[in-house]
Amino acid sequence: MFQSFTGNSRRPRQVNLGGRNTNPFAAFPSGRQQGPNSLGQAHGHGNGQGAGNTLAIAQQERLLRQQERDRLGASRAIQRTWRGYRSRKTTRTAWRIEWDATEKSRQGAGLPMEKSFESLTETDLSTVVSSSAVPGYATVDDCLAQLRLLVQFLEPPRRADVIRLVYFGNVFQRTLHEAPTIATEGEWTTLLVRLTQTTLRVLNLASVSTSPVPAAAVDHLLGLLVFLTKLIPKHIARIAREYYTAMAGLTRSIASRDTTELTTDTLVHSVLALLQPITSETLTAYGWFARNYLTIPGLQTYLGGLDELASNINYKLLTSALDQNDLTREKGGPSKPDDVEARVWLLAYFIFFHRHAMGDQAGRHAPEPDFVKTVSELLNSTAIYLSRRLEMQDNATDLDAPPRETLSPFVKEQLLSLVHQNSITGLLSQLRSTHLSQGQLANSQSEASKEAKILATYALTLLRVFPRRGDDIRMWLYLGSATSGAVTGTQSARIPAIKYFWQASRCSRVFEIISGDSSNVLPLLKPASPPSSDRFVDFPSVERNQEWTIILLFLELYTFVLKVMDDDEFFASESSSFTASSNTRISWTKESALPLQDVKEMTVFLKNLAFTLYWNAADLSESEPVPETGTIRNYFNSQAPPPDSISSVRDLEMRSKDKGLPAVTGIPLDYFKGLVTGLLRMIHERDSRRKFLPDGHWLMTSRFDMEGFIPAVVAEEENRHQLQDEDEDDPHDLMDEDGDSGYMFSEGLVGTGRAQHARRIEALRRRQQKVARRKQLEAVAPRLEILRNMPFFIPFATRVQVFREFIYRDQMRRRQGFIDPDAWRMSVAQASMGRMVDGRPTAHDILSRHHANIRREHVFDDAFDQFYALGESLKEPIQISFIDQFNTVEAGIDGGGVTKEFLTSVTNEAFKAADSPARESHLFEENDQHLLFPNPAAVEQRRELLRQVGYVEGSPEWNERVRELLRQYEFLGRIVGKCLYEGILIDVNFAPFFLLKWALTGGSGAAQKESAYRANLNDLKDLDQGLYQGLNYPDDVEDFSLNFTVSDTIPLPDSKTRTLTRDLKADGSNIPVTNQNRLVYISYIARYRLQVQPALQTNAFLQGLGQIIQPSWLSMFNQPELQTLVSGQSGEIDVADLRRHTLYGGVYTLGDDQQEHPTIRLFWEVMEDLSNADRQKVLRFVTSTPRAPLLGFSHLHPRFSIRDSSSDQDRLPSTSTCVNLLKLPRYETAATLKEKLLYAVNAGAGFDLS
């Protein structure tokens, strides 16, 4: 059976749609006349294919018929149009004749009978219009009849019709002045509106350079408009768009006109005419006045000033119009540059009108909420445009900034008036909610909640537009307070800004959802989509965006506050009071401190948010949309230029910005990550210094498979190694200042501005490449990113294992699988066998570079001279031969112990011999707790010495001597890194703020300025206790007459000093420190002392450290944990663990029965009885460090060992610290052993001391 059989016996109909002839014997389609073309085609293709053109022929004929119909239709349309035009022209001509005849027939018309309207000159027009002999119409009906004719035939391009309009306007006004009343309803209204529209069209033509409108007519037509506006203001307000379009055209052309014909006073009077009558359509008029007229650039130059305009404008109505007509927001996607510029000018004029309306009170009080809302919307829509141009004007290094990309001085002046302390600090005091409470903020639909969203948007936009004033804006806003309904004493209670925005944030649905479950965070970070759970039902994207805005502002403010809040103030707030105390002696910082329970809630929110930002980084990157320009969605983002060649630093900087996160007000994902991560780490630092959160609070192990966590992280690290940034190996100039510090002291830099400009472009290019590769890393290594940025999510012991595994993998990769030093040397010798370099065997060259002869008296200097050139190759095994004081090589083979002694000796000399007279300056300083940090004055001290010697500042020789000092810091960083790399503990204690810089160097490069080290008041306490106490002076700081400068005292030889004074900010010497700006002063001092002054030294040390230990590995630990990595655990010494992992030699070697020697048993009994302090002394005596390895004594290399030395009961124990060996005589009693051991330990006995 055929598969196509359907059961129907009827033969199916065959339709040939292909045009192919199914009759093989037919040469042509039957009954068809072939044209020449088709005949030619048929002959050309042969008889067999000619029949196949049937369909094409039919389509061609159909097309020809359609074209013929179109031609006929077009002809009829042209004829109809022409007939209509000719008919209208004839009719209008007839009406003109009738109208002219009526005017000429009127007695005393004043129109020269020998001339018609067509032949009147401007002189004649002035004579006729100004002549008192031209009376009004006899009756109102005559006027109406003439008006009816005039609006029907008048054509604006005809000069004679314009003269007729001017003439009629004059007569019309006289008629209405003489008439007792006139009904401006019915037909009158319609005709008057048409007359107004006609007049506006004429005025539009008048603004054109080749206008047919006589210059003398413009002033009279404006007078007619003003007259009509008084007659029917409501109806003319409905055509305000055409009205202010004409006014705008005349204003732009006023500069090219004869000032005697049209004065600015007349023009301003006409502009205001439609705004002064109060009707139901007045807001419409104000709306189009703002949209069409207040968007003219340079309006003050056209009108000779804006005072008259501002004096006669109802500022409140203008504010309402801007809000109701939605003129401040963008519609329908990205705006054109001209649209953005128009809104910029509208914003400037609006601010000017507000300042004019407020008078002397403009700078003394905060603006009202309506002004804040309107300005906020306008700033949002122009933030990118303004921030870019303001920064270009402020940044003098941008040599290629296009001149056109600058703001008008008028616009800049108005914008800068927004950044004023009183206007920002008082924002919260202007809230309309009189009895503000926590419950009102919790209701998202309440007036208080809406005001909070408006304020948050306004403040964020100010931060975006004025990034250089960010600290000032944050401080002024932080100093503000809202008024509560509660009353304390005689005044209403105040609500600190921090608590106000915290309460608004914690009451938001976004905060509730994220705090509840970390798995619900991702939908809130992505564009709005169908709700995936009940939590997202009825949660519109607009409301979500507003809530994110409040949360974002709170994160900004709280981050700022934590930098100036010390631990005493942070932990002082135990209550949950929403309002401030009435006690004026309590500092505002302390009043702003959140209760610790609230901080705990905040950390839960931040933890869940931060985890998602890194764990789902790939999903968030995919959801990044094409950036919209000019909205709050571009907060802290920059407009990317079109993909053409990079021509300037600014273009490259704009391109280096990443796309916004669409669901979080569109802020850049990298900035948002940095903000959240930075605040989370700052709170974690507080908890690390003084525990206030429960154990396990920071861990998020439930989100990981901890059993396979370490292998997974190691695999991600291998992927990271494959994506390793190529520019990590690029040479870095040690004299490059830290640009993130916010200060650019370029002393000693050589090169022209163009050369520095080129270097800056190249650096930005490399940064751009790093961003691209980092995005790949985020997609393939989420666990690694979390370890780098939020290591406290993972237990410390797990991170240490990961750290050691990373080092092991790196050793395997670098040493080709030969971890043991001797095996590696043998492999080098075998691999390079027979190869020669400069006539020497390659193996000899490699191994000789890793060998050094070190004099005991000059350990650091010899090490620096011989090993600095190794660079990253210091990771490989080194061999050391010590030279004694008699210049003789000490006997012994370096099996690892000598290397350990070498490394500990280098660190001891560099860190502990600071006051050695052999060194012209010490590299590190100690604080009051004897914790080390780089000497802040080292570089300046070196420069002063060079000046005294006679070096030319900035010369190559000068720079080389400064770099020599920085290389010592770099080398010292490598030595510390080598100790970490080899697992060698050193007895060195660093200051916490210095260790914090280690921990933050490996944070996400996506937000370096946000997640990198941030100076704060508590770190300043670790640096200089006296300075810290001085900055916390409780009384009036103005008594000290301070300014925004800082002085450095540089010690010189012969006990001399030199004082250098620098500005902390631009023109800082002329800015006094007041009680209002003291927090900014404190933050600037902290930043300078902790970041700027030691920038070169710190960067050099960290660069050397990073050459041995990947910065990302260090970022897995906080300050105490890093100190533990360097010098071991500072807790109780576990004697049992030490005993389990001790090796024995000589007669103490364990026999087959595994029984310990009696002296060994006595030794462990004594160790158990010793105090922990004495145990640490014993451990330091043997291993040179008093702390145990962080993973226990099984990770001590070399192992703790004990060997017998003699049976002499009077002999003291001795050690070989290079191999962690205790040489213990065979004491017979515990008392003798304890006495001799403690004596040796406390006497500082060492190698073979007897």
Side-chain angles (χ1 to χ4, degrees), residues 779-1011:
V780 301
R783 296 173 186 83
L784 194 59
E785 286 294 295
I786 289 175
L787 275 176
R788 294 171 62 179
N789 295 279
M790 293 160 297
F792 37 82
F793 286 0
I794 306 299
F796 175 59
T798 303
R799 286 180 274 132
V800 173
Q801 295 178 47
V802 171
F803 178 73
R804 298 312 312 176
E805 186 65 26
F806 283 171
I807 291 178
Y808 174 77
R809 293 296 182 112
D810 189 63
Q811 289 175 336
M812 290 287 292
R813 186 165 44 246
R814 294 184 61 87
R815 303 179 186 181
Q816 306 299 319
F818 299 97
I819 302 298
D820 181 74
D822 291 333
W824 175 77
R825 295 185 186 100
M826 185 63 68
S827 69
V828 170
Q830 291 177 351
S832 58
M833 187 176 297
R835 287 188 289 176
M836 307 289 287
V837 175
D838 296 332
R840 294 178 300 175
T842 305
H844 178 272
D845 184 67
I846 295 175
L847 297 179
S848 64
R849 292 175 61 241
H850 288 78
H851 176 269
N853 294 323
I854 304 296
R855 294 172 296 173
R856 288 283 186 182
E857 293 80 8
H858 305 280
V859 176
F860 181 82
D861 292 335
D862 289 352
F864 176 76
D865 293 338
Q866 299 184 57
F867 281 145
Y868 178 80
L870 281 180
E872 191 178 289
S873 297
L874 191 62
K875 290 182 178 182
E876 271 64 80
I878 57 176
Q879 274 189 315
I880 303 299
S881 297
F882 279 110
I883 308 297
D884 61 20
Q885 58 182 339
F886 304 106
N887 204 28
T888 303
V889 178
E890 295 181 1
I893 299 174
D894 187 357
V898 179
T899 299
K900 173 180 177 293
E901 184 180 1
F902 161 73
L903 293 174
T904 55
S905 299
V906 171
T907 55
N908 286 338
E909 180 176 326
F911 292 120
K912 297 184 179 179
D915 297 328
S916 173
R919 309 188 64 84
E920 65 180 23
S921 64
H922 44 279
L923 300 179
F924 276 73
E925 289 272 11
E926 283 187 351
N927 63 7
D928 295 339
Q929 292 77 37
H930 303 289
L931 303 177
L932 296 166
F933 56 91
N935 179 8
V939 172
E940 284 301 332
Q941 187 175 0
R942 173 62 62 93
R943 289 170 175 166
E944 286 299 323
L945 292 174
L946 294 176
R947 290 188 186 100
Q948 291 184 358
V949 174
Y951 283 92
V952 178
E953 188 167 352
S955 65
E957 295 81 7
W958 167 288
N959 289 336
E960 182 58 29
R961 292 302 302 273
V962 175
R963 288 191 180 95
E964 181 183 359
L965 174 65
L966 298 178
R967 291 191 191 104
Q968 294 180 13
Y969 280 101
E970 182 184 13
F971 179 70
L972 197 51
R974 292 180 194 167
I975 292 297
V976 175
K978 176 70 172 177
C979 295
L980 290 171
Y981 197 77
E982 302 293 347
I984 296 173
L985 302 179
I986 55 177
D987 187 16
V988 177
N989 297 308
F990 294 107
F993 68 87
F994 181 53
L995 288 169
L996 185 58
K997 297 178 182 181
W998 300 19
L1000 294 179
T1001 55
S1004 175
Q1008 293 176 351
K1009 292 188 178 181
E1010 287 73 39
S1011 62

